[in-house]
């Protein structure tokens, strides 16, 4: 997962709460850091996304493949 995909996924899933979740929610899955701290420390975006999903009880069917852009059609 690229950082841009991570950002789209968080915005899509959490809407206006996204910023607060990234800066305030402490995630046990990434060493008791916030998402922003984990990303700054070099934790892969996919691992951070899955940790956010776990903490926020995002259903498994909404965890995978989100944030990707639709391929361009010819």
């Amino acid at each position: 997962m690229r950082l841009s995909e991570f950002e789209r996924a968080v915005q899509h899933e959490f809407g206006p709460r996204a910023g607060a979740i990234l800066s305030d929610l402490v995630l046990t899955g990434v060493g008791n850091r916030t998402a922003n701290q984990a990303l700054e420390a070099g934790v892969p975006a996919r691992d951070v996304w899955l940790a956010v999903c776990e903490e926020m009880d995002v259903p498994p069917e909404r965890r995978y493949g989100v944030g990707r852009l639709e391929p361009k059609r010819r």
Side-chain angles (χ1 to χ4, degrees), residues 52-69:
V52 170
C53 290
E54 187 67 30
E55 289 288 330
M56 296 298 295
D57 293 324
V58 174
E61 62 270 11
R62 294 201 319 248
R63 296 180 187 192
Y64 301 98
V66 295
R68 293 184 183 168
L69 293 176

Side-chain angles (χ1 to χ4, degrees), residues 6-55:
F6 170 82
E7 291 168 347
R8 279 193 297 273
V10 171
Q11 187 62 42
H12 177 75
E13 184 65 37
F14 303 109
R17 300 182 305 154
I21 288 170
L22 294 178
S23 63
D24 297 338
L25 180 67
V26 175
L27 306 167
T28 58
V30 291
N32 293 318
R33 296 181 270 203
T34 67
N36 288 338
Q37 291 169 335
L39 291 169
E40 288 174 12
V43 177
R46 179 177 176 79
D47 295 346
V48 178
W49 168 246
L50 292 175
V52 170
C53 290
E54 187 67 30
E55 289 288 330

